[in-house]
Amino acid sequence: MDQKIISLAAEKTPDRLQKFLQTLKEDDLANLLQNQAVKGKAAGALLRAIFKGSPCSEEAGALRRLKIYICCIHLVESGDLQKEVASEIIGLLMLEAHNFPGSLLVELAKEFVGAIKEGSLANGKSLELLPIILTALVANKENLDYGKGELSGEECKKQLINTLCSGRWDQQYVIQLTSMFKDVPLTAEEVEFVVEKVLRMFGKLNLQEIPPLVYQLLVLSSKGSRRRALEGIIAFFNELDKRHNEEQSGDELLDLVTVPSGELRHVEGTIILHIVFAVKLDCELGRELLKLLKAGQQGDFSNNICPFSIALLLSVTRIQRFEEQVFDLLKALVVKSFKDRQLLQSSKFLQNLVPHRSCVSTMILEVVKNSVHSWDHVTQGLVELGFILMDSYGPKKIPDGKSIETSSGLSKIPNQHACKLGANILLETFKIHEMIRQEILEQVLNRVVTRASSPISHFLDLLSNIIIYAPLVLQSCSSKITETFDYFSFLPLQTVQGLLKAVQPLLKVSMSVRDSLILVLRKAMFASQLDARKSAVAGFLLLLKNFKVLGSLSSSQCSQSIGVSQILVDVHSRYNSVANETFCLEIMDSLRRCLGQQADVRLMLYEGFYDVLRRNSQLANSIMQTLLSQLRQFYEPEPDVLPPLKLEACILTQGDQISLQEPLDHLLCCVQHCLGWYKSRVMPLQQEEEEEEEIYKELEAVLESVTSRMIKSELEDFELDKSADFSQNTGVGIKNNICASLVMGICEVLIEYNFSISNFSKNKFEEVLSLFMCYKKLSDILNEKAGKGKTKTANKMESFWSMKFVSDLLTALFRDSTLSHEESLSVLRSSNEFMRHAVSAALQKVQQLKETGHVSGPDGQNPEKVFQNLCDITRVLLWRYTSIPTSVEDLGKKEKGKSISLLCLEGLQKVLGAVSQFCQPKIRHFLRALDVTDNEGEEAEDSISQRAAFQIRQFQRSLMNLLSSQEEDFNSKEALMLVTVLSNLSKLLEPSSPQFVQMLSWTSKICKENNQEDPSFCKGLMNLLFSLHVLYKSPVTLLRDLSQDIHGHLGDIDQDIEVEKTDHYAMVNLRTAAPTVCLLVLSQAEKVLEEVDWLITKLKGQVSQEIVSEEPSSQATRPNHPIEKAIIMQLGTLLTFFHELIQTALPSGSCVDILLKDLCKMYTILTALVRYYLQVCQSAGGIPKNMEKLVKLSGSHLTPLCYSFISYIQNKKSQSLKCTGQKKGKAAAVATAMARVLRETKPIPNLIFAIEQYEKFLIQLSKKSKVNLMQHMKLSTSRDFKIKGNILDLVLRDEEADEPEEGTASEHEGQNKEPAKKKRKKEMKCLS
């Protein structure tokens, strides 16, 4: 039969073929076709013949075609056909589809939709036909029966797509169906419908099926709905990541159920590649991605910004046109995230309203962690981002040359965090990806070398961390490091020291690096620049510290100053130590040559020897020998010669230039420390050789002799008595100054030496006191000669005492109650001057720690020991201050300078500042160390808040005693220091703890009950009150109360009105109300306004996101209801605060300026709120009642008063101008007064503009919400003016009367006044 059909089809006319086909039953025809196709015979030819004999112009033919089409579709889906046959059949069906009449096309399409819904398709091959059918439908112009009515082809297609997308899709055809839609002509609405359907299917598919689906979805999204597609993909993977993280952190058993981590990351990586590829082809997709994530940044970035979207952004940076935009966006995201976190941390009001969100920094670090799963396309972006953050937000140079390394300025903190994040990104990427290590290292080293002038401590820290992580790995990159060594002589000393410290672990594993460093250092030793020679000394000292000689004490016996914990293999085996000895002695030879160089170079050497000795005790003999031979050059061996040291030899005179050649005080200091350490640590452990014993005995004898002869020497022996010349302008004066500082330094060194060997002997302590008297005489002379105008020299000199000694000395002076020590210690205790000097030295050490992070002297670089000494010093100062208050001490004797108790308090203030800056993790140990009565067992469990509260109570008592003293006894300096100490301690309290609440109520009580007139004390106390209050609840009610007090004390702008005085806070009085308290409350109000502004921006972002995603938004305002309510409450209370201040007769100057600026801000934020309601109003209907009340309040209590306040300021200014004109008939005086007036009235036009903007948007909101919000607003009339003739005549007459008296001055005044008026009118015009 098939042959017959084919032969009939070969005829020229199809008539016979048609007749023959009509005689056949349709089922027979279908069976015939099926058999042929399954056998793989000429099914295509048969099909062509059937189509030829079934023209669509006849109904029977068309129906036959339809049956054949349906039969073929089932056949193709059955899976019985060979691949080629199936393709041929589908190809033929596609070719013939457009011949169908519209009604049959609809039938055919419905057949497909039904098959898809029922899931009866076996392999989805026939789906290729559906786009052709739908396209043919659209091309069909006639109206078709569809359901109950008639629709055009376009509408039919829409209905079919609707039905298709709302039905169930079997997961195996999802990809094919998505792919199919790309060939269908779709309207924007239909694309959105399809995209939504595909996104809903994500969750039902296996993970491995998602990448091809995403690819098809991206192709489809080129027709529209790009944003929705991206949003859906990001949201899906964000959800998947969250679930995955929860499961990993949860029960281990769950791992059996879920996706393994590696598989998920590989899928994400593939999808990111697909998206980046799509962005390359379709730039619009990239723009949509950026828009989407920028919108997420504005509002609440809960969904859009997540590790997946950040990884995606970083991959997009490989496309050049988007690179800059993406990095800018990421930078903005990081900083905004840190700023938001800071804002939230500093305000309880915001914490209650806004839930804690995950920080962008944790997301980025998660991306680094995930990138281990071959996300090579993300790594490059990560490295660039790391460097961009470090470059943009690292420490900056300030004009006086210092760099701001650790500043507590608020804006600095987010920047510091951002820089730290950059370093963390680079370090973690370095650890994970071997490929990129070389590049990271190169970039870091390039920055270290090329940015010598700007601070690079952050890059040095990063380099140090990288090397500590993997010194053995870095051997492969050692050439880059040795190349960097060549620049040593051109780099600043600080950079070289940092660099050496960082590469130190590498020196132990790489001989080649060590050798090249030594070569460079030897060259530098003889360089012409002083800094290069100092660098050489620093480098050699570092090498000596780190290459131990056999037999040296282990590091456990002498704790290390620089931790080197990363090398697992012990490179120092025995043969190494022998080699080290030769190597170290060679270096010692090189260093001895430095003793002939400038004072600065020698100084470095003396400061470094002690550390070398402590780390490498076998070098003791060599070091001591060097020091002794150097000391002999300046020592008078004859026991009767005074003074015992040749000071002349220490000073170098070259023509007119006089400079220090030998820092003898530092040399002695070094000798003293090395000797002390050797006697206590090494001598007890070993039997000395004779020769070595000699050195130590000789050194001891020298120090003993120098001590006794220094005590006998008079100032005349040094030619430094009162008659000597100490001016800085003459050669003799400069020389005397150098000598004096040497003598003072030597005295200090000898005091420490004698105290350390004294073993509490009375004679030794008498010697110590005599040495101190010598020091004191000299320091008094220097201070006297320096005169009152300049800073005192003695205070500028850095103390030679080590921190350990200061701690021991203070403990002995103030806390030692051992009976056997009583008599000898009374010698030192009898001198108040000596005790004061000891406390001052402690203060100086703490100040040094605060500024640089370490102290001078031995162990000054060792954080552990410094912290231990700091705790001991603080404990003594605390005991001394609390047990002997200043009031008791002052009664005894009135002396010049601060009392010891006051110095102790100052010390405590500095210590707390330093601890909060450098020892944050050790706060608990610090507070435990302060507790004098510490019973280790039971109290060890106390929380930080409890321990801090215990200390706070002691200082509260001191402050209460001070406040209850007589008016004339009140010491404002002490009170202010106590407040600073209290505010430092209160930062350690947990805001949710009862101790915090007690502290707040105590501070509030003090402010309410004490009427001190000292402005600085008032400012300190009020600041403390506010800083506590914001962490407990919003300070708006406090601001309102204070504004009423200020109004009561200063009176009203209308002098006829008597203001009722409120006494909320006694701290507010006539002397403190303005400017002190006024400026404080205004700055607090500004912070509250910033918080409100932040909240409004957040709400706007959420609304715009909702509008974009077009969710049903009848309830759009409901989720934000508590935030809106809180915003309106805050603004309402602030409004009453401004209502009070704006009626207050404030003195002109900063108070008025800032009040005007803050009012302007208030109106700007009110406007922002109105604009938010304009946005919401479309969807939510009406505006809340409390918003109406707020608008009413602003109309009645604020705007009218603003205008009267402006008039008050302008009257005041014109009066002050008249006074100036009358008092000083000088043109210059009038000109400056006029300039001041102009400057001070500048904010007025801005304020008027802000008020009018507010009213403009209110009118718009009134129209939109159908609520008349303007009924309470009296529209501004300030611009209306008319010339009143009678007043003008009066003024002109007055001026004529004044003219003869003032002469030319009035002319100038006229000239100056005129432009000012014009200028103001111009401003007004611009604003209208």
Side-chain angles (χ1 to χ4, degrees):
M1 195 199 295
D2 55 326
Q3 290 304 323
K4 187 168 184 185
I5 293 172
I6 292 169
S7 61
L8 285 171
E11 293 176 8
K12 282 187 180 175
T13 55
D15 300 345
R16 285 176 62 201
L17 177 60
Q18 285 175 13
K19 281 176 189 167
F20 177 70
L21 288 176
Q22 279 163 4
T23 62
L24 293 174
K25 287 182 184 170
E26 281 169 354
D27 291 349
D28 294 347
L29 199 54
N31 290 338
L32 174 68
L33 185 59
Q34 191 168 342
N35 292 335
Q36 290 292 76
V38 171
K39 286 176 189 162
K41 288 191 183 167
L46 180 61
L47 201 53
R48 280 193 201 90
I50 294 172
F51 286 155
K52 190 174 181 184
S54 315
C56 289
S57 50
E58 296 173 14
E59 194 177 343
L63 286 170
R64 189 181 309 121
R65 273 195 180 209
L66 180 62
K67 282 284 191 297
I68 292 294
Y69 258 73
I70 292 170
C71 165
C72 286
I73 290 168
H74 289 313
L75 198 54
V76 170
E77 286 300 327
S78 68
D80 299 337
L81 304 188
Q82 291 169 11
K83 215 172 183 182
E84 298 76 22
V85 178
S87 297
E88 189 182 8
I89 290 175
I90 289 291
L92 282 169
L93 297 183
M94 285 172 155
L95 281 171
E96 294 291 333
H98 64 276
N99 295 327
F100 269 113
S103 54
L104 294 184
L105 281 172
V106 173
E107 286 301 314
L108 201 49
K110 279 184 175 171
E111 179 71 28
F112 263 110
V113 172
I116 291 166
K117 275 183 148 181
E118 289 158 20
S120 60
L121 297 181
N123 58 15
K125 177 78 178 152
S126 60
L127 282 175
E128 293 173 24
L129 188 55
L130 189 54
I132 307 291
I133 296 169
L134 292 172
T135 312
L137 247 182
V138 177
N140 199 310
K141 296 297 176 226
E142 60 194 88
N143 278 0
L144 308 167
D145 290 337
Y146 188 94
K148 291 176 184 174
E150 278 198 349
L151 299 174
S152 67
E154 182 68 53
E155 286 166 336
C156 282
K157 178 202 69 170
K158 189 175 180 179
Q159 284 295 338
L160 284 163
I161 288 175
N162 232 330
T163 318
L164 184 56
C165 289
S166 51
R168 198 178 69 81
W169 289 6
D170 201 309
Q171 72 179 58
Q172 60 188 22
Y173 323 128
V174 175
I175 295 169
Q176 282 163 303
L177 281 164
T178 313
S179 164
M180 175 212 75
F181 275 114
K182 70 174 186 279
D183 301 323
V184 180
L186 298 171
T187 61
E189 193 183 340
E190 288 160 1
V191 174
E192 194 173 335
F193 213 72
V194 176
V195 167
E196 284 295 346
K197 173 67 182 174
V198 177
L199 290 173
R200 284 201 300 276
M201 293 306 297
F202 271 21
K204 295 173 184 162
L205 297 185
N206 294 333
L207 203 53
Q208 294 300 341
E209 293 174 306
I210 292 177
L213 177 59
V214 166
Y215 178 76
Q216 297 299 345
L217 180 63
L218 291 169
V219 175
L220 176 65
S221 72
S222 61
K223 294 174 176 246
S225 283
R226 293 180 179 85
R227 184 180 180 128
R228 183 66 200 104
L230 287 169
E231 201 171 9
I233 295 168
I234 289 171
F236 174 73
F237 280 101
N238 184 18
E239 194 51 45
L240 212 57
D241 277 349
K242 276 183 191 162
R243 279 213 305 269
H244 185 74
N245 290 344
E246 280 165 20
E247 283 161 5
Q248 281 201 323
S249 58
D251 195 346
E252 291 299 311
L253 295 172
L254 281 170
D255 283 12
L256 303 172
V257 191
T258 53
V259 191
S261 187
E263 190 184 343
L264 175 62
R265 301 294 167 232
H266 280 301
V267 167
E268 287 180 344
T270 313
I271 282 167
I272 288 171
L273 280 175
H274 281 328
I275 298 176
V276 173
F277 181 65
V279 170
K280 278 181 186 167
L281 298 176
D282 176 14
C283 291
E284 194 51 46
L285 188 67
R287 282 194 280 273
E288 283 298 337
L289 176 66
L290 286 175
K291 270 189 213 161
L292 173 69
L293 296 177
K294 273 179 186 161
Q297 174 198 359
Q298 290 307 314
D300 196 355
F301 46 68
S302 49
N303 287 340
N304 295 341
I305 290 173
C306 57
F308 177 78
S309 60
I310 288 172
L312 175 57
L313 276 177
L314 287 166
S315 296
V316 173
T317 56
R318 295 169 78 188
I319 302 168
Q320 200 176 356
R321 64 182 302 168
F322 290 116
E323 183 178 11
E324 202 175 326
Q325 295 174 40
V326 170
F327 281 130
D328 287 347
L329 172 61
L330 284 168
K331 254 170 68 175
L333 268 178
V334 167
V335 172
K336 183 178 186 298
S337 162
F338 284 127
K339 280 184 178 164
D340 287 356
R341 194 170 75 178
Q342 188 185 0
L343 197 64
L344 278 168
Q345 280 172 352
S346 61
S347 160
K348 184 71 179 168
F349 164 67
L350 289 180
Q351 286 166 22
N352 291 340
L353 287 174
V354 181
H356 177 68
R357 298 182 306 197
S358 59
C359 185
V360 173
S361 58
T362 43
M363 293 179 191
I364 296 178
L365 290 172
E366 203 168 308
V367 172
V368 179
K369 198 173 75 189
N370 296 343
S371 68
V372 72
H373 301 281
S374 42
W375 285 12
D376 298 342
H377 43 93
V378 177
T379 349
Q380 193 57 46
L382 276 171
V383 173
E384 280 182 55
L385 177 66
F387 280 114
I388 285 172
L389 289 174
M390 287 187 81
D391 291 339
S392 310
Y393 302 114
K396 296 282 179 279
K397 193 171 185 181
I398 45 175
D400 67 355
K402 282 186 196 164
S403 64
I404 314 171
E405 295 289 351
T406 44
S407 156
S408 54
L410 284 181
S411 61
K412 299 286 179 311
I413 293 172
N415 288 4
Q416 283 173 355
H417 283 314
C419 175
K420 187 103 182 63
L421 172 66
N424 284 343
I425 291 171
L426 291 169
L427 180 60
E428 294 305 314
T429 311
F430 183 89
K431 288 179 182 177
I432 292 173
H433 297 282
E434 278 185 38
M435 298 288 289
I436 212 141
R437 283 177 181 170
Q438 181 100 19
E439 189 191 334
I440 292 177
L441 189 68
E442 270 184 33
Q443 292 224 41
V444 172
L445 289 170
N446 287 347
R447 282 167 168 78
V448 168
V449 172
T450 55
R451 300 190 182 175
S453 56
S454 50
I456 48 164
S457 57
H458 50 310
F459 286 114
L460 288 172
D461 291 343
L462 173 62
L463 181 65
S464 173
N465 289 335
I466 284 176
I467 294 176
I468 280 176
Y469 169 70
L472 297 167
V473 172
L474 280 180
Q475 275 184 287
S476 57
C477 314
S478 57
S479 59
K480 188 69 201 166
I481 290 174
T482 49
E483 199 181 304
T484 312
F485 291 160
D486 296 339
Y487 299 102
F488 266 14
S489 43
F490 309 108
L491 294 176
L493 177 64
Q494 210 178 353
T495 304
V496 173
Q497 284 177 318
L499 196 55
L500 286 170
K501 216 173 192 177
V503 299
Q504 164 206 323
L506 202 53
L507 302 176
K508 294 197 170 182
V509 285
S510 171
M511 284 299 165
S512 60
V513 174
R514 191 182 84 176
D515 294 344
S516 56
L517 175 63
I518 290 170
L519 275 175
V520 168
L521 293 177
R522 281 192 177 144
K523 276 186 207 162
M525 191 73 106
F526 302 101
S528 55
Q529 307 94 324
L530 179 63
D531 256 10
R533 295 201 294 280
K534 285 164 95 174
S535 299
V537 172
F540 279 137
L541 286 170
L542 183 94
L543 289 169
L544 283 180
K545 275 185 232 172
N546 284 300
F547 289 90
K548 286 230 176 108
V549 178
L550 187 62
S552 289
L553 294 182
S554 71
S555 291
S556 58
Q557 284 167 294
C558 48
S559 65
Q560 324 185 190
S561 62
I562 307 161
V564 187
S565 57
Q566 67 291 353
I567 298 172
L568 301 174
V569 282
D570 182 17
V571 191
H572 301 301
S573 48
R574 274 186 180 276
Y575 74 89
N576 245 359
S577 300
V578 177
N580 283 349
E581 183 162 15
T582 329
F583 168 68
C584 288
L585 293 174
E586 247 179 73
I587 293 179
M588 279 300 296
D589 277 348
S590 299
L591 286 176
R592 280 195 194 98
R593 292 181 200 147
C594 296
L595 293 173
Q597 296 197 3
Q598 280 94 331
D600 281 359
V601 181
R602 299 182 191 190
L603 190 65
M604 279 199 74
L605 206 52
Y606 298 151
E607 283 176 350
F609 269 156
Y610 173 80
D611 258 350
V612 171
L613 181 63
R614 224 189 37 165
R615 300 282 299 281
N616 213 343
S617 54
Q618 280 296 306
L619 294 175
N621 202 14
S622 174
I623 290 175
M624 291 303 203
Q625 192 65 59
T626 308
L627 290 172
L628 179 60
S629 59
Q630 187 71 1
L631 187 55
R632 278 181 185 146
Q633 297 175 32
F634 306 98
Y635 172 64
E636 291 281 6
E638 292 300 319
D640 302 332
V641 177
L642 295 180
L645 298 163
K646 306 171 187 166
L647 294 185
E648 294 287 332
C650 299
I651 292 166
L652 178 71
T653 310
Q654 290 173 316
D656 298 343
Q657 291 291 313
I658 293 176
S659 58
L660 178 66
Q661 169 82 15
E662 172 65 46
L664 187 57
D665 40 8
H666 283 274
L667 172 60
L668 269 176
C669 187
C670 179
V671 167
Q672 187 262 116
H673 286 308
C674 291
L675 192 59
W677 188 83
Y678 196 82
K679 276 165 66 182
S680 63
R681 290 299 176 85
V682 184
M683 274 185 162
L685 300 177
Q686 59 191 58
Q687 305 306 311
E688 286 298 325
E689 296 167 19
E690 279 301 309
E691 177 196 344
E692 288 191 13
E693 281 284 354
E694 285 303 309
I695 299 174
Y696 300 116
K697 282 185 177 159
E698 184 172 349
L699 278 171
E700 280 181 335
V702 167
L703 287 172
E704 196 58 49
S705 165
V706 170
T707 302
S708 57
R709 286 192 277 165
M710 281 297 281
I711 292 167
K712 287 177 197 164
S713 302
E714 293 293 325
L715 290 183
E716 287 80 6
D717 297 329
F718 298 107
E719 298 173 14
L720 292 174
D721 55 352
K722 280 192 175 181
S723 57
D725 172 15
F726 285 101
S727 73
Q728 294 288 351
N729 311 329
T730 61
V732 178
I734 293 171
K735 183 182 151 195
N736 284 344
N737 268 309
I738 294 173
C739 279
S741 69
L742 280 177
V743 172
M744 285 164 74
I746 290 163
C747 286
E748 276 201 305
V749 171
L750 292 173
I751 288 174
E752 179 168 349
Y753 173 70
N754 283 293
F755 186 90
S756 62
I757 61 164
S758 67
N759 200 6
F760 291 95
S761 104
K762 190 173 178 184
N763 294 346
K764 278 287 171 203
F765 281 177
E766 280 167 354
E767 285 182 3
V768 164
L769 205 56
S770 309
L771 285 165
F772 174 70
M773 291 327 289
C774 169
Y775 173 92
K776 182 82 183 72
K777 278 180 207 161
L778 254 180
S779 121
D780 287 348
I781 291 174
L782 283 178
N783 287 340
E784 199 179 304
K785 297 278 182 182
K788 289 173 187 172
K790 295 171 190 169
T791 52
K792 296 183 175 178
T793 328
N795 293 353
K796 278 196 293 187
M797 274 183 61
E798 213 176 87
S799 173
F800 277 86
W801 290 353
S802 64
M803 199 163 178
K804 176 86 177 81
F805 169 64
V806 172
S807 142
D808 292 347
L809 179 62
L810 287 178
T811 312
L813 287 176
F814 297 135
R815 295 300 314 272
D816 194 333
S817 50
T818 319
L819 281 174
S820 55
H821 300 168
E822 191 69 39
E823 188 187 353
S824 51
L825 279 171
S826 63
V827 174
L828 297 179
R829 287 173 181 163
S830 64
S831 162
N832 244 4
E833 288 291 351
F834 181 69
M835 295 204 288
R836 186 179 299 151
H837 182 75
V839 178
S840 301
L843 253 73
Q844 198 187 67
K845 290 286 172 197
V846 177
Q847 185 62 30
Q848 208 178 25
L849 177 67
K850 210 172 158 186
E851 284 169 6
T852 60
H854 50 79
V855 293
S856 57
D859 293 328
Q861 303 273 354
N862 180 346
E864 286 302 321
K865 293 207 169 175
V866 169
F867 179 68
Q868 193 48 57
N869 292 330
L870 189 66
C871 290
D872 296 342
I873 288 174
T874 314
R875 192 162 52 228
V876 177
L877 295 181
L878 182 62
W879 181 88
R880 176 68 174 72
Y881 177 72
T882 46
S883 55
I884 307 177
T886 38
S887 49
V888 177
E889 192 173 2
D890 290 347
L891 290 174
K893 37 188 167 301
K894 295 278 178 197
E895 289 182 10
K896 280 191 295 181
K898 294 175 183 169
S899 65
I900 293 178
S901 284
L902 205 55
L903 280 173
C904 287
L905 181 60
E906 195 180 328
L908 289 167
Q909 179 195 333
K910 286 187 166 142
V911 166
L912 287 167
V915 167
S916 61
Q917 203 171 334
F918 293 106
C919 315
Q920 204 62 46
K922 298 181 186 166
I923 291 281
R924 186 185 288 277
H925 298 294
F926 176 73
L927 290 172
R928 190 178 297 171
L930 291 197
D931 200 346
V932 186
T933 59
D934 199 359
N935 308 330
E936 276 302 312
E938 61 212 53
E939 290 187 54
E941 294 310 306
D942 280 2
S943 69
I944 290 181
S945 292
Q946 286 168 316
R947 285 185 178 276
F950 174 73
Q951 301 301 341
I952 285 173
R953 283 195 291 279
Q954 301 198 55
F955 291 107
Q956 283 175 339
R957 277 197 291 276
S958 303
L959 186 58
M960 292 300 284
N961 294 338
L962 196 62
L963 290 169
S964 56
S965 61
Q966 296 297 316
E967 190 72 26
E968 60 275 7
D969 290 343
F970 178 72
N971 183 341
S972 67
K973 268 188 186 169
E974 184 178 359
L976 190 57
M977 277 195 271
L978 278 169
V979 170
T980 315
V981 168
L982 283 168
S983 52
N984 269 329
L985 282 170
S986 66
K987 284 174 192 161
L988 306 179
L989 297 173
E990 184 56 47
S992 56
S993 65
Q995 290 87 355
F996 183 87
V997 181
Q998 282 169 356
M999 177 73 191
L1000 174 60
S1001 53
W1002 179 85
T1003 312
S1004 182
K1005 186 167 176 267
I1006 293 276
C1007 291
K1008 282 177 179 171
E1009 294 172 4
N1010 281 286
N1011 183 12
Q1012 289 296 341
E1013 292 194 339
D1014 185 86
S1016 57
F1017 171 65
C1018 171
K1019 186 178 178 182
L1021 198 59
M1022 281 292 177
N1023 265 329
L1024 174 60
L1025 178 63
F1026 278 121
S1027 66
L1028 293 168
H1029 207 290
V1030 290
L1031 293 174
Y1032 182 64
K1033 61 177 183 185
S1034 175
V1036 280
T1037 46
L1038 176 62
L1039 289 173
R1040 187 186 58 205
D1041 292 349
L1042 284 166
S1043 65
Q1044 288 171 356
D1045 290 351
I1046 295 171
H1047 191 185
H1049 282 290
L1050 296 179
D1052 200 274
I1053 51 176
D1054 185 346
Q1055 290 168 355
D1056 305 336
I1057 294 176
E1058 183 70 38
V1059 185
E1060 180 192 344
K1061 278 197 179 182
T1062 54
D1063 265 340
H1064 297 295
Y1065 290 89
M1067 249 318 154
V1068 183
N1069 49 46
L1070 257 177
R1071 279 201 60 190
T1072 59
T1076 312
V1077 180
C1078 183
L1079 288 177
L1080 266 176
V1081 290
L1082 283 171
S1083 77
Q1084 280 301 325
E1086 205 170 321
K1087 282 180 191 165
V1088 176
L1089 284 171
E1090 273 169 26
E1091 288 174 10
V1092 171
D1093 192 20
W1094 185 79
L1095 280 173
I1096 294 173
T1097 312
K1098 194 174 156 55
L1099 287 184
K1100 278 184 177 170
Q1102 284 175 357
V1103 171
S1104 59
Q1105 271 180 310
E1106 280 165 17
I1107 290 170
V1108 165
S1109 53
E1110 288 182 17
E1111 289 164 6
S1113 46
S1114 56
Q1115 289 289 306
T1117 49
R1118 292 312 96 200
N1120 299 330
H1121 188 58
I1123 297 187
E1124 287 175 23
K1125 195 174 171 186
I1127 288 174
I1128 293 168
M1129 290 294 292
Q1130 292 289 85
L1131 289 175
T1133 319
L1134 273 183
L1135 215 142
T1136 54
F1137 159 79
F1138 282 123
H1139 167 74
E1140 289 292 338
L1141 280 189
I1142 213 168
Q1143 298 177 76
T1144 309
L1146 292 170
S1148 49
S1150 53
C1151 287
V1152 172
D1153 284 2
I1154 292 173
L1155 176 57
L1156 287 171
K1157 281 176 191 158
D1158 282 1
L1159 278 166
C1160 191
K1161 204 165 193 175
M1162 175 80 182
Y1163 275 107
T1164 312
I1165 286 168
L1166 280 169
T1167 310
L1169 185 62
V1170 170
R1171 292 176 74 168
Y1172 164 71
Y1173 277 113
L1174 271 172
Q1175 230 178 336
V1176 171
C1177 212
Q1178 317 165 6
S1179 46
I1183 50 172
K1185 281 277 178 276
N1186 48 5
M1187 177 64 187
E1188 286 180 44
K1189 284 182 190 166
L1190 180 69
V1191 172
K1192 180 180 177 181
L1193 197 65
S1194 70
S1196 57
H1197 278 59
L1198 199 58
T1199 311
L1201 293 172
C1202 279
Y1203 288 118
S1204 45
F1205 187 63
I1206 290 171
S1207 311
Y1208 161 75
I1209 296 167
Q1210 287 174 331
N1211 292 339
K1212 205 166 177 187
K1213 297 286 188 268
S1214 55
Q1215 281 168 12
S1216 73
L1217 266 181
K1218 271 185 187 170
C1219 295
T1220 318
Q1222 284 162 7
K1223 280 182 195 167
K1224 309 169 185 171
K1226 294 175 186 168
V1230 179
T1232 51
M1234 197 62 217
R1236 196 180 70 241
V1237 169
L1238 264 179
R1239 191 177 65 248
E1240 289 179 355
T1241 50
K1242 212 172 190 175
I1244 294 176
N1246 296 343
L1247 173 59
I1248 292 174
F1249 176 66
I1251 294 174
E1252 294 186 352
Q1253 281 293 96
Y1254 171 55
E1255 288 168 355
K1256 171 183 142 187
F1257 283 105
L1258 267 183
I1259 294 169
Q1260 288 181 22
L1261 185 60
S1262 297
K1263 286 176 185 167
K1264 202 162 204 176
S1265 64
K1266 311 286 188 292
V1267 178
N1268 182 12
L1269 296 169
M1270 295 304 291
Q1271 59 186 355
H1272 314 294
M1273 289 288 174
K1274 183 186 171 197
L1275 275 178
S1276 332
T1277 52
S1278 193
R1279 305 226 173 151
D1280 306 348
F1281 65 93
K1282 57 183 176 183
I1283 297 170
K1284 296 183 179 175
N1286 51 353
I1287 294 177
L1288 191 66
D1289 288 345
L1290 277 172
V1291 173
L1292 287 172
R1293 276 194 215 114
D1294 281 356
E1295 278 189 6
E1296 278 166 17
D1298 288 348
E1299 224 160 64
E1301 297 165 29
E1302 291 187 9
T1304 53
S1306 66
E1307 263 175 51
H1308 282 287
E1309 192 177 342
Q1311 285 169 3
N1312 283 327
K1313 247 183 192 171
E1314 200 46 46
K1317 276 186 187 169
K1318 278 182 191 164
K1319 193 171 182 181
R1320 189 137 58 251
K1321 275 180 195 165
K1322 263 185 206 163
E1323 279 181 45
M1324 300 294 236
K1325 272 180 191 164
C1326 298
L1327 294 172
S1328 63

